């Protein structure tokens, strides 16, 4: 543990400094803290970190994009997500990105040490709530295909059929076919109900919805 080099990113300064101090007191000697993804990536281009501890909600970059950028810069490093967001869309996205660990800020800070230790030993570490949500996703009926989810996200952003067709390089008839399947699979009677159910089932990040 004491030989690890760890980079932390969180947009809340108090949380960031609290985690840094906790890790240092726990015996991890080399810890760097960042409030912006751009600063972290600039540092990661010249310094090798064993692990990155990242938040989901950042001011200058989507967490999924940051994970991809870290993997590009340092393909052998490991990523632990430490977030307050327990929604299903977050669980699904982090599962897709194949991160090494996920813990929630609602849990005990000691879980972070457990996660760091497990990942350092070559294992994964996902808190119980995250595992439960993963099982919930796996048990969902009428699971939407990747293309249907793309169309759904475009609909939620207020895009027209023509715009969706242009964005996804498919015909307008194909968009309408996907739209009909979405209403059927989500058991929705109108657009508002479709979006509400999509949020509830974790298919849509509510922050991305057109207002």
């Amino acid at each position: 543990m004491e030989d690890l080099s760890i980079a932390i990113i969180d947009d809340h300064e108090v949380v960031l400094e609290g985690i840094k101090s906790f890790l240092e007191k726990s015996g991890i000697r080399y810890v760097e803290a960042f409030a912006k993804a751009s600063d972290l990536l600039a540092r990661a281009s010249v310094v090798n970190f064993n692990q990155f501890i990242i938040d989901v909600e950042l001011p200058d970059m989507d967490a999924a994009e940051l994970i991809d950028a870290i993997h590009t810069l340092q393909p052998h490093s490991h990523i632990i997500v430490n977030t307050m967001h327990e929604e299903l869309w977050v669980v699904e996205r982090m599962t897709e990105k194949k991160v090494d660990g996920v813990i929630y800020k609602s849990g005990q800070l000691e879980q972070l040490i457990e996660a760091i230790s497990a990942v350092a030993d070559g294992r994964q570490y996902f808190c119980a709530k995250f595992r439960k949500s993963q099982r919930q996703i796996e048990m969902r009926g009428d699971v939407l295909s990747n293309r249907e989810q793309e169309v759904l996200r475009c609909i939620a952003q207020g895009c027209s059929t023509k715009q969706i067709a242009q964005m996804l390089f498919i015909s307008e008839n194909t968009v309408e076919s996907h739209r009909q399947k979405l209403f059927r699979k989500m058991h929705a009677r109108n657009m508002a109900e479709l979006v509400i159910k999509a949020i509830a089932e974790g298919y849509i990040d509510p922050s991305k919805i057109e207002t």
Side-chain angles (χ1 to χ4, degrees):
M1 290 282 286
E2 62 180 16
D3 295 327
L4 293 176
S5 57
I6 295 178
I8 315 165
I9 181 167
D10 196 292
D11 64 336
H12 293 92
E13 185 177 350
V14 174
V15 173
L16 188 62
E17 290 304 317
I19 293 174
K20 184 176 185 292
S21 176
F22 177 76
L23 294 185
E24 290 172 339
K25 290 177 180 178
S26 299
I28 299 173
R29 295 180 181 177
Y30 194 85
V31 182
E32 290 196 37
F34 304 88
K36 293 184 179 180
S38 56
D39 293 338
L40 182 149
L41 292 175
R43 186 62 171 160
S45 67
V46 295
V47 175
N48 289 321
F49 294 99
N50 300 116
Q51 296 184 19
F52 292 82
I53 299 171
I54 71 171
D55 193 5
V56 167
E57 192 171 355
L58 301 170
D60 60 337
M61 184 179 290
D62 180 80
E65 294 177 15
L66 176 58
I67 290 169
D68 289 340
I70 290 172
H71 282 152
T72 298
L73 280 172
Q74 300 192 20
H76 300 297
S77 63
H78 300 282
I79 297 174
I80 297 171
V81 174
N82 180 36
T83 180
M84 63 180 288
H85 291 284
E86 303 181 14
E87 299 94 332
L88 290 182
W89 66 266
V90 174
V91 175
E92 194 164 38
R93 184 176 296 179
M94 293 304 102
T95 300
E96 288 174 355
K97 288 301 175 182
K98 298 180 180 179
V99 297
D100 300 283
V102 176
I103 60 173
Y104 292 138
K105 291 180 180 178
S106 58
Q108 297 295 318
L109 199 54
E110 285 74 14
Q111 275 191 322
L112 186 54
I113 295 297
E114 294 176 12
I116 291 170
S117 179
V119 170
D121 289 338
R123 296 177 284 120
Q124 293 181 317
Y125 186 98
F126 300 107
C127 67
K129 280 188 177 181
F130 185 84
R131 289 289 194 191
K132 182 178 180 181
S133 295
Q134 282 183 316
R135 290 193 294 271
Q136 184 178 347
I137 291 171
E138 291 170 359
M139 294 172 63
R140 281 191 307 206
D142 287 330
V143 176
L144 304 186
S145 68
N146 290 334
R147 178 62 84 187
E148 287 167 348
Q149 291 183 52
E150 289 177 333
V151 172
L152 180 58
R153 285 192 287 268
C154 290
I155 290 172
Q157 291 168 3
C159 298
S160 67
T161 296
K162 184 176 181 179
Q163 289 173 320
I164 296 172
Q166 292 174 342
M167 292 169 63
L168 301 182
F169 303 102
I170 57 180
S171 71
E172 292 184 31
N173 285 339
T174 300
V175 173
E176 284 303 315
S177 176
H178 285 310
R179 190 190 296 268
Q180 292 172 13
K181 289 179 181 178
L182 286 168
F183 276 101
R184 186 178 70 253
K185 286 186 174 183
M186 301 296 290
H187 305 285
R189 293 167 294 183
N190 52 54
M191 196 68 69
E193 189 174 359
L194 177 67
V195 173
I196 290 171
K197 287 190 173 184
I199 293 172
E201 294 192 22
Y203 283 116
I204 293 178
D205 177 351
S207 69
K208 306 295 184 183
I209 295 176
E210 180 76 11
T211 57

